[in-house]
Amino acid sequence: MNKIDRPSYSIPYVISKVSAGFPSPADDYLEKNLSIDKLLIKNQASTFLIRVGGDSMINIGIYEGDILIIDRSLDAKNKDIVIASIFDELTVKRLIFDIQGNPQLKAENPLYSNIEIKNKEDLIIWGVVTSAIHQFIKH
């Protein structure tokens, strides 16, 4: 099945927001169906998924085993979360530019050092992370 012919699934979507504080009364109706791929994927032809290994991004809610949605059509900006290739290895980090415009890859866990990019040619940005899928029940 090619990318254009892949099926799209819609799931019932409840209008009411769920309270993360005190419980609120539930609404008895649904707004409409919500397509997960339309919600999470803006540029289908340039989007890919990758599973996280490691814990360098836990302070922003990206955990071992999460699935990241990456859009390759987006230009990476300062403070974006990116998938980067550095010395032929892939990593997920926050892209930071200093005052002179030099890039750095910042871990979001104090146990890890930032990766200083001495030669811009050593860094390849594969894409910008747009979402993370975090499962609470592992199958």
Side-chain angles (χ1 to χ4, degrees):
M1 187 177 300
N2 66 36
K3 290 183 180 181
I4 295 172
D5 294 334
R6 75 176 190 188
S8 176
Y9 302 101
S10 293
I11 299 171
Y13 177 59
V14 177
I15 290 176
S16 179
K17 292 182 181 178
V18 64
S19 174
F22 293 104
S24 64
D27 291 333
D28 291 332
Y29 58 91
L30 302 176
E31 178 179 3
K32 59 181 177 179
N33 283 342
L34 178 67
S35 169
I36 296 297
D37 58 336
K38 289 180 182 172
L39 175 69
L40 297 177
I41 299 172
K42 304 301 180 219
N43 301 305
Q44 182 178 347
S46 62
T47 298
F48 68 97
L49 307 175
I50 195 164
R51 189 172 298 274
V52 175
D55 63 353
S56 70
M57 300 300 284
I58 61 173
N59 286 355
I60 59 166
I62 296 176
Y63 301 98
E64 171 99 27
D66 285 356
I67 296 172
L68 302 179
I69 300 171
I70 295 93
D71 189 334
R72 292 192 71 156
S73 71
L74 299 175
D75 290 326
K77 301 182 305 299
N78 191 42
K79 299 185 180 178
D80 280 349
I81 306 302
V82 299
I83 300 297
S85 174
I86 182 82
F87 309 119
D88 296 323
E89 291 189 27
L90 290 179
T91 188
V92 57
K93 297 288 184 281
R94 185 178 300 279
L95 179 65
I96 303 291
F97 292 99
D98 65 18
I99 296 171
Q100 291 81 26
N102 299 314
Q104 182 179 118
L105 297 174
K106 180 183 184 303
E108 294 290 350
N109 179 338
L111 299 177
Y112 294 87
S113 299
N114 295 341
I115 301 171
E116 302 282 336
I117 309 300
K118 305 231 185 291
N119 184 356
K120 289 182 184 180
E121 287 76 35
D122 292 333
L123 176 67
I124 299 169
I125 302 297
W126 274 42
V128 176
V129 176
T130 60
S131 298
I133 300 170
H134 178 78
Q135 294 182 315
F136 294 103
I137 299 174
K138 304 294 180 187
H139 300 282

